[in-house]
Amino acid sequence: MTTFVQQALNGLTIGMIYALIALGYSMVYGVLKMVNFAHGDLCVLGAMFSLTLLRATGITKGRLNIIEVPLTGTRLVLVLGMVFLGGMLCSTITSLIIERLVYRPLRRASILTVLVSALGVSIALSNAMMLVFGREMKSFPSLLKKQYFTVLGATYSNLQVFIAILTILLLIGLFYLVNKTTLGRCIRAVALDKDMAGLLGINVNRVIVAVFALGASLGAVAGISHAMYYGQTYYLTGYQLMILGWASAVIGGIGDMRGCVIAGLLIGLLEAVGGGYLPILTGGLFGADYRRIFVFLVLIVTLVIKPAGILGKPEVIVKA
Amino acid sequence: MSLLRVENLVTKYGGIPAIKGISFEVREGEIVALIGANGAGKSTTLMTISGALKPSSGKIIFDGKEIQGMPSHEIANLGIMQCPEGRRLFSSMTVEENLLLGYYSRRREGKPGEAMQRVFKLFPRLEERLHQAAGTLSGGERQMLAIGRALMAKPRLLMLDEPSLGLAPKLVETVLDTIKQIRDEGVTILLVEQNARAALSMADRAYALEVGNITLEGTGQELLHDERVIKAYLGGR
């Protein structure tokens, strides 16, 4: 029982990160009907850049990025603000440059051209990160002074609480923005019918830029949370995040934001709970390294039973 | 004074001209009808004026300003609204959201309440359906919403593409009456219709379009009684 609760709590934390990543995929897919494969790398870029900020400001020291004076009070808030806002800004700017230089000229190109270009951008971006930030695995500080709570016998850390609160606040903000504001209405209108949106006076390019900015910002938060949670970041992590984020978006119903959140949490849970029990159930034959099996099993089952995803509508897939 | 003047407009679809150098004008406060068979280039003409299609040559002058080739959102912000063929409602969004999107180009001029009330006065049904998804409306209600959405922008020129298409005869009459009412409120109207009789009977002036060329022009009544029009479009003897 304790194992289950523990793995479920861990799974929810990582699931929230996947949900944030999946939303970036889903929103871009919604307006452009394309898969922005570079999104995973943009998430990592956020983490890489904020680590650079931490080093440049002397908050962390040495190759292990140790914080010598524990951060508390206002200082903690300011550092967290710098880390997250800095990372978001860096990912957003990069994302907008990619949109302008690569995706916009390909707006009317065939879907395959766009797909291959997006993969190319992903490879270019991860290699650029390798050149700029280095090829080694980097340790990333959790920034919070470690504290633990006991929930039903399982351990829950203050970092997990922090990630949960941050994600929930972002989700509330995002759903409010998309459902209740003028920008949100424009985003939905552009996703449904770009030409008609233009006829009503909506600058479609500007809306698309806003979507890329939103996606990259959420992605940076996810990337930084991921780095804080695992205590490390690596220029190739984006590939992993891309697979899991994209799988969540597809399982949830690409283009459907609620579906993405549900699927992200589901995948995080499956991965953690499944990974936790796998060695026990197979007598150690399969270790937790095989946890991704569950993700792809669910992906395959979803594609067979309900190709449009948990909450997706079939016609969206047909239009793609 | 002419609010809209089109001069020698040519628009191509994949290299083939769909309109071949047409010229016409719409004066302030008029209802002008473009009639013609399927494929004559009526919709292409409207799409080119609204910027959804780019002309390959010719001029479009709106309120003294050349607008050909401008992006569609800028043209919309000048006060030209198009109700395209097939209504093109945002069907998963509510009636209210569709109307609010129509108000987009006026969003800096304050709250949409007054514009909304004007639309409700013309189409009380929309107020009853305010929180319903646009996709669940009946055909007539959809047409009302499409026109209502365009009116939210308080357009100077309203371009209607086949507003009677797919409506029951009784509804056609209601919609046409509404169009006259909208004109009486000071909105200039450019109307495209296959239902030539209905269009001509209400139009101040009209143009007949045939495979990309304007072949006839005159007042609505003149064209309504023109032998060639009767033969070609009114199914007459």
Side-chain angles (χ1 to χ4, degrees):
Chain A
M1 182 62 195
T2 309
T3 312
F4 180 81
V5 176
Q6 183 66 63
Q7 292 306 89
L9 285 175
N10 295 347
L12 279 177
T13 306
I14 189 71
M16 289 191 178
I17 294 173
Y18 293 160
L20 289 178
I21 299 172
L23 283 169
Y25 277 109
S26 196
M27 290 175 68
V28 167
Y29 186 87
V31 293
L32 287 184
K33 306 289 174 275
M34 69 158 283
V35 189
N36 179 15
F37 281 121
H39 187 60
D41 303 292
L42 287 168
C43 302
V44 175
L45 178 64
M48 289 279 186
F49 183 75
S50 46
L51 187 58
T52 309
L53 282 179
L54 283 172
R55 284 183 182 171
T57 49
I59 291 159
T60 61
K61 293 214 164 57
R63 285 193 59 216
L64 290 174
N65 293 308
I66 295 159
I67 300 172
E68 282 170 352
V69 191
L71 300 165
T72 47
T74 324
R75 202 167 126 77
L76 175 65
V77 174
L78 286 176
V79 170
L80 283 173
M82 175 190 81
V83 163
F84 279 94
L85 293 178
M88 286 160 89
L89 197 67
C90 178
S91 293
T92 298
I93 291 171
T94 311
S95 175
L96 296 190
I97 293 172
I98 294 169
E99 191 274 331
R100 187 67 192 82
L101 293 184
V102 184
Y103 299 148
R104 197 179 298 183
L106 295 176
R107 202 67 67 68
R108 304 209 180 258
S110 89
I111 194 157
L112 271 179
T113 311
V114 181
L115 204 71
V116 173
S117 307
L119 276 173
V121 172
S122 165
I123 294 167
L125 199 54
S126 58
N127 281 278
M129 284 194 286
M130 179 190 81
L131 290 173
V132 174
F133 301 109
R135 59 174 67 242
E136 71 285 355
M137 189 87 90
K138 293 165 183 306
S139 74
F140 197 102
S142 83
L143 297 174
L144 304 174
K145 191 163 172 286
K146 289 210 160 53
Q147 279 178 324
Y148 297 97
F149 315 98
T150 306
V151 182
L152 296 169
T155 313
Y156 202 44
S157 74
N158 56 345
L159 179 60
Q160 286 176 305
V161 175
F162 172 75
I163 292 174
I165 292 173
L166 185 63
T167 306
I168 290 167
L169 288 179
L170 280 176
L171 290 180
I172 292 172
L174 182 71
F175 278 76
Y176 177 81
L177 179 104
V178 170
N179 289 316
K180 301 285 177 206
T181 66
T182 304
L183 175 62
R185 270 194 299 277
C186 291
I187 291 175
R188 282 179 292 145
V190 167
L192 289 167
D193 188 341
K194 278 195 236 344
D195 292 339
M196 189 62 228
L199 290 177
L200 292 175
I202 296 167
N203 185 337
V204 173
N205 277 332
R206 220 153 59 192
V207 172
I208 289 171
V209 162
V211 168
F212 271 88
L214 276 172
S217 302
L218 294 176
V221 172
I224 296 166
S225 304
H226 188 266
M228 284 168 82
Y229 188 52
Y230 287 105
Q232 63 185 34
T233 183
Y234 184 45
Y235 76 97
L236 283 177
T237 306
Y239 178 70
Q240 218 184 87
L241 297 182
M242 167 187 95
I243 302 268
L244 293 164
W246 175 239
S248 306
V250 170
I251 292 171
I254 186 83
D256 189 292
M257 292 172 43
R258 280 172 312 156
C260 280
V261 175
I262 294 170
L265 292 175
L266 181 75
I267 284 186
L269 275 174
L270 270 171
E271 208 184 87
V273 175
Y277 279 100
L278 206 52
I280 301 172
L281 294 177
T282 60
L285 186 61
F286 289 105
D289 288 350
Y290 284 89
R291 63 190 186 279
R292 298 273 149 79
I293 285 177
F294 299 104
V295 177
F296 295 110
L297 268 180
V298 173
L299 181 63
I300 291 167
V301 171
T302 310
L303 289 177
V304 170
I305 297 174
K306 201 164 181 298
I310 300 172
L311 293 182
K313 293 180 188 67
E315 65 267 21
V316 177
I317 298 296
V318 173
K319 261 192 218 153
Chain B
M1 193 206 127
S2 70
L3 181 64
L4 177 80
R5 209 165 72 235
V6 171
E7 291 175 5
N8 300 315
L9 194 66
V10 178
T11 305
K12 292 179 182 166
Y13 258 130
I16 302 156
I19 48 178
K20 307 169 180 168
I22 62 170
S23 301
F24 66 93
E25 63 166 348
V26 182
R27 298 181 201 130
E28 196 109 47
E30 276 188 324
I31 296 180
V32 171
L34 287 180
I35 59 167
N38 233 341
K42 299 171 304 211
S43 296
T44 308
T45 306
L46 293 198
M47 295 298 256
T48 312
I49 295 170
S50 62
L53 293 174
K54 302 275 170 264
S56 38
S57 66
K59 281 185 185 169
I60 302 167
I61 299 153
F62 179 71
D63 202 19
K65 191 182 169 202
E66 285 190 27
I67 61 164
Q68 70 275 7
M70 270 169 63
S72 57
H73 65 92
E74 283 177 27
I75 292 177
N77 285 324
L78 291 175
I80 299 182
M81 272 289 133
Q82 185 186 4
C83 277
E85 206 176 344
R87 338 278 199 241
R88 303 277 284 268
L89 297 173
F90 302 110
S91 52
S92 60
M93 297 169 80
T94 65
V95 169
E96 186 179 28
E97 287 178 320
N98 272 275
L99 291 174
L100 288 174
L101 281 163
Y103 191 72
Y104 184 79
S105 59
R106 299 278 177 181
R107 69 196 181 285
R108 294 207 179 82
E109 296 167 20
K111 296 245 181 268
E114 186 207 333
M116 202 87 107
Q117 287 311 316
R118 262 182 53 192
V119 171
F120 292 155
K121 234 162 88 190
L122 278 173
F123 305 114
R125 187 70 67 81
L126 292 182
E127 192 169 11
E128 295 163 27
R129 299 267 187 267
L130 206 54
H131 299 294
Q132 211 169 306
T136 65
L137 299 179
S138 72
E141 288 165 346
R142 276 183 219 197
Q143 187 58 58
M144 292 177 198
L145 180 54
I147 297 176
R149 181 178 62 181
L151 285 178
M152 286 295 290
K154 303 179 209 158
R156 297 185 59 196
L157 176 66
L158 177 62
M159 304 197 293
L160 299 164
D161 197 343
E162 305 277 5
S164 75
L165 195 70
L167 296 185
K170 208 172 164 197
L171 272 173
V172 173
E173 223 169 281
T174 320
V175 167
L176 295 181
D177 281 344
T178 314
I179 294 172
K180 276 186 242 171
Q181 221 173 314
I182 293 167
R183 190 269 306 269
D184 294 340
E185 285 179 20
V187 182
T188 307
I189 288 166
L190 178 57
L191 175 69
V192 154
E193 264 291 353
Q194 276 196 64
N195 186 343
R197 190 183 303 275
L200 291 177
S201 61
M202 65 186 287
D204 297 305
R205 289 182 315 105
Y207 298 84
L209 211 56
E210 217 169 285
V211 281
N213 291 300
I214 285 180
T215 49
L216 287 168
E217 62 174 280
T219 66
Q221 290 305 315
E222 277 165 15
L223 288 202
L224 200 53
H225 297 107
D226 188 287
E227 283 297 321
R228 290 161 292 182
V229 173
I230 292 171
K231 218 170 180 177
Y233 306 115
L234 303 178
R237 304 126 298 195

